[in-house]
Every structure is written in C-alpha cells, then in structure tokens.
Amino acid sequence: MLELIADAVEHRTPEGIAAAISRLIRSGSLGAGDRLPTVRDVASTLGVSPATVSNAWQALSGVGLITSRGRAGSYVLQASASWMPPHFGELAGSHVVARLDLSTGTPDPELLPDLAAALTKVPTRADTASYLSAPVLPELDLHLRASWPYPVAALTIVDGALDAISRSLESLVRFGDRVVVENPGFPPFFDLLDHLGVERIPVDIDREGLRPDQLARALRLNPAAIILQPRAHNPTGVSMSSERVRELARVLRANTHLSDPVVIEDDHSGEISSSPAHSLGTWLPQRTLHVRSYAKSHGPDLRIAALGGPEQLIDRIVARRMIGPGWTSRMLQTILYELLTASASLDAVHDARRIYQARQRELSEALVAAGVSHSPSDGINTWLPVADEKSAIVALAASGIRVAAGSSFIASPSAAAPSPSPHFLRVTAGRVTDDFTPLAALLAAASRVT
C-alpha cells in the first residue's frame, strides 16, 4: 500500500497527500475498512515530516473519508449511519468538528428570534376541547391567508417543509409514477421519491429558476407532480423571477393535453429571502400546493410549516393526518402565531434577512476579487463551481473548513450518470460572519485544485 500511495501523490504537501488518498478511495483502490500505513511509514516513504502526513490525515478525517482508532491505526471509513436515508446521509458528512462548518444548510442561531415572549402565550396545560377540533388555530389561519402569495382555498399546518412535501406526494403519486425535480435539487426530495418508488425527471435550473424549455420536454413523460423551490433555492440560492414563473405557467397550460401535474412549491426560506414571493398558484390555483416553512427564519427545531392549495387536495392530506399524528400541536401553532405577529420577532427576522443578504454580497464580492466568477445568492446557501469536487473538499478540510459536496444535489436517477462539469460545492454563506476576504481566497484556491 505504501507504494500505491507514493505513486498517487503528486504534491508532497498536506493538501496534496490528502487529495491523493481521496482519489484512491473514490477509485476503489482503497476500500472501506482498509487500514492505512502509519504516519511515520508514509512520511519516510515520501521524504516528508510526520507532521505533514498527520495534517493530511486530519483533513481526510475532517471530511469523513478516514477514521483514527488510536494505536490500532487509521482506517478508510464506512458510509454514514444506516438510519439516515442515503441522499440525506450524504449531507450529514462525518460530524467531525471543523473550524468553520459551512456544510450544514442551517441558519445562524444568533439570528433566530427569541422565543421567550412567545412561550408566555402557550397554555399551561396541553389540553384540547376535542380530537375533532379544527387542525389550525383560527387566528393563525387568517394571518397566513393575508400573507400568502395568492388567494388560497385551503390551508393546514404540518410538521415542517419535508412533512408537507411527503404528505403531498403520498396523496398524489403511486409506485412507478414520474415526478419532475430541479437539477440540482434538494437530496431529501430524492429520498422521498425513491421511497415511494417514483422515477425522477431532472429539469435544469438557470439564474431565474426551472428552465421552461426542459419542462416542456419533461411534460411529454406525463409526470404526476413537479417539485420546485421558488425562492432561495437549495443548493444554488437562485430565486425565480416573476417572468419565469409566468412562463412556466404558460408552458403548463399549453401542455395540458400531454400532462396535468400538480405543482408542489417549497418556499422554505421565504421569511429571510430578499426576493418577493412568486407562485404558480397565481395562475394555476387548482394545480398548486404551496409550502411555507419557518425553519430557516424562526428555528429548525420548531418543526412547523404551512401548506396551502385547493380544497380537495388539502382535505385529503388533513384526513390522512387525522389517522396518524392527528394535527400539529396547537401549542406550537400558538408560538408560531406570536412570532409572526409580535413586533420584536418581526424586527429580528427583518434584521436576519438584511444580514444574510449583506453576507451573501460580501462573500460574492470577495470571491470575484479572488478570481472566481460569482453572483450574490438569495437566502443562506450559494453554489460554487470547482475543478474537482473531492479535491476541493479535501483542500478546504486541510484549512479547517467543511462544505457540502455538489454531487449530492444532482438529480439524475442513475448513479452511473456522468458528473456535471465543472463540479460544484454548496457553501452555507449565511454562516459566515467575518473574514470574508481570507475565506474567499481559500475557496478560490480550492476551486482550482485538481
């Protein structure tokens, strides 16, 4: 194995050694469970210091490619935890603490509103008058309707955006159906569709969202549904323009003789998005299910989202939940209502929106100054082109920075499909609070590593 490693190393730096081991692992030359040579043996073979090899090992461990077992040595790591759905698991990474973790896709906890005032409004007993009471608090229903992007027939509350997407898909699709997804898209959507036995139809996105020409071709395959993200798209940070939404509506109307799919919109970052709310529901209200999540703006652990659409679809989802969880806790609904109406929390979310927008702009400007072609993204994530995904991840790990692999977001249903060129990384820019210039320099350098 020492000879194999020596032949693979092109640059005898921590980054170069780590990149070589990474290539050997992904090519299959080194398999899960293989024991690596000792740091001292590799250092002797390469003619470098043990500290150089140790730093390379730390970088590989930081991205979850190897693990140390103390005196027993270092080993190529197995895949992530078996309880994690496969595409979701790719996002989970190694859970190794990094100096700066930009892989999470989660909001800055310092920018979430304080719950203290809202908690004082929660009843002191978890009681309800009846198991058959309306599943949504009347005052919350009225508030949501007033802020919805179009007049909506029916609304309900569910346990987060993914719960809304899952409930919607389960009511719409059957085994063997096809569903249009964005490419790149959100990996948990792929897990949901795989679980349901549904075929994915990838449609590329550009700087304005889903491409109408590709959607028109996809409709010939008679999809049952279309899943899209109208704002702060994960992973790219793209938000749809009003012109693009209108054009997509025209495509869908013009192709009703081919297909009549339901559009499921995941507006997961609406409250912190710097873009206005646009929805296909404005033109196609009988074919649109619109999801508004409050995880990014008010806290992921609230596990709460609103789902709106035509009565016949929402009623079907509500009826199915009645023989499952029943409803989303009205105590949580009370907290959400207070957060959406109290001036202090409104100010906090407004400030968060402004700060995220400023962070995206500062990082983008620093990337451009470092020689990377880039435009500011919306929300908390941005999409960075790189020459080689694995090498870039390892190079950043050597500097104590974690990012998410772009290949996890590619929507092709075939694992054998060619990787996109150039490769990409998803960077949670919203978690960057300062030092934009040195970070951009490291990202730019990593983007060029092959």
Side-chain angles (χ1 to χ4, degrees):
M1 187 180 292
L2 280 170
E3 185 177 346
L4 177 68
I5 292 173
D7 290 342
V9 172
E10 298 173 359
H11 305 287
R12 299 187 178 191
T13 61
E15 295 86 353
I17 297 169
I21 299 295
S22 173
R23 289 193 294 269
L24 290 172
I25 292 173
R26 70 177 188 266
S27 70
S29 299
L30 294 176
D34 284 353
R35 186 181 187 276
L36 297 173
T38 66
V39 166
R40 192 168 299 277
D41 285 346
V42 174
S44 176
T45 299
L46 296 178
V48 298
S49 71
T52 298
V53 179
S54 179
N55 288 336
W57 261 225
Q58 289 176 20
L60 291 165
S61 177
V63 294
L65 291 177
I66 71 171
T67 184
S68 173
R69 299 178 186 170
R71 293 184 178 180
S74 295
Y75 293 79
V76 178
L77 199 60
Q78 296 280 355
S80 59
S82 59
W83 57 267
M84 188 78 71
H87 297 286
F88 221 144
E90 290 175 5
L91 296 182
S94 63
H95 305 288
V96 175
V97 175
R99 173 177 65 85
L100 181 60
D101 192 347
L102 305 180
S103 71
T104 63
T106 55
D108 184 343
E110 296 300 319
L111 297 182
L112 298 175
D114 192 333
L115 298 180
L119 290 173
T120 65
K121 306 294 184 178
V122 176
T124 56
R125 288 186 173 84
D127 191 18
T128 187
S130 169
Y131 286 109
L132 303 179
S133 296
V136 182
L137 291 179
E139 59 271 29
L140 179 58
D141 181 273
L142 287 172
H143 180 83
L144 291 171
R145 287 178 184 276
S147 63
W148 216 248
Y150 63 95
V152 66
L155 283 170
T156 193
I157 297 295
V158 292
D159 301 335
L162 272 178
D163 185 41
I165 305 295
S166 176
R167 299 284 176 181
S168 300
L169 287 171
E170 288 171 355
S171 72
L172 293 170
V173 304
R174 297 294 179 265
F175 186 90
D177 281 349
R178 296 184 174 109
V179 169
V180 170
V181 294
E182 297 162 317
N183 185 43
F186 189 42
F189 294 166
F190 310 156
D191 284 320
L192 276 172
L193 296 174
D194 290 349
H195 175 74
L196 293 169
V198 170
E199 179 184 341
R200 304 193 296 273
I201 308 175
V203 171
D204 292 343
I205 67 167
D206 58 22
R207 291 305 305 173
E208 292 187 75
L210 206 67
R211 287 181 48 178
D213 58 332
Q214 291 194 18
L215 176 62
R217 289 196 294 271
L219 292 177
R220 299 171 191 166
L221 298 175
N222 197 34
I226 299 167
I227 308 176
L228 57 83
Q229 302 170 72
R231 291 194 283 185
H233 175 268
N234 190 351
T236 66
V238 165
S239 286
M240 286 192 180
S241 65
S242 59
E243 293 78 10
R244 177 56 54 85
V245 175
R246 190 179 297 112
E247 191 173 357
L248 294 176
R250 282 199 298 267
V251 169
L252 286 164
R253 282 174 167 169
N255 289 277
T256 53
H257 62 290
L258 297 173
S259 177
D260 195 22
V262 172
V263 178
I264 306 172
E265 297 176 332
D266 176 24
D267 191 16
H268 52 77
S269 295
E271 299 293 317
I272 58 165
S273 169
S274 57
S275 300
H278 300 301
S279 172
L280 283 159
T282 303
W283 291 273
L284 303 169
Q286 294 304 311
R287 295 172 55 185
T288 302
L289 287 168
H290 186 82
V291 181
R292 179 165 291 179
S293 168
Y294 300 93
K296 301 293 190 297
S297 54
H298 295 80
D301 204 41
L302 285 176
R303 310 312 306 143
I304 196 164
L307 172 63
E311 286 185 1
Q312 70 273 20
L313 293 182
I314 297 298
D315 287 351
R316 193 188 311 169
I317 292 168
V318 171
R320 176 62 186 88
R321 291 189 86 223
M322 287 304 296
I323 51 174
W327 62 88
T328 297
S329 167
R330 295 181 184 91
M331 301 174 77
L332 280 178
Q333 293 188 48
T334 297
I335 293 173
L336 177 61
Y337 176 74
E338 293 300 323
L339 291 173
L340 294 177
T341 56
S343 59
S345 57
L346 287 171
D347 290 344
V349 173
H350 178 272
D351 288 345
R353 184 187 310 118
R354 175 181 53 79
I355 291 169
Y356 285 133
Q357 186 177 19
R359 290 176 180 177
Q360 289 276 19
R361 184 179 64 253
E362 289 190 59
L363 181 60
S364 181
E365 290 173 352
L367 284 169
V368 171
V372 177
S373 177
H374 192 269
S375 299
S377 300
D378 192 9
I380 64 174
N381 296 306
T382 195
W383 196 231
L384 183 70
V386 296
D388 183 82
E389 173 191 291
K390 293 292 186 183
S391 297
I393 289 173
V394 170
L396 289 168
S399 299
I401 299 168
R402 285 187 63 195
V403 292
S407 57
S408 300
F409 300 86
I410 301 306
S412 171
S414 170
S419 298
S421 182
H423 297 180
F424 291 88
L425 303 176
R426 187 194 69 178
V427 180
T428 304
R431 299 298 292 263
V432 183
T433 59
D434 53 20
D435 295 332
F436 292 93
T437 298
L439 172 62
L442 290 171
L443 291 171
S447 73
R448 302 183 186 108
V449 177
T450 57

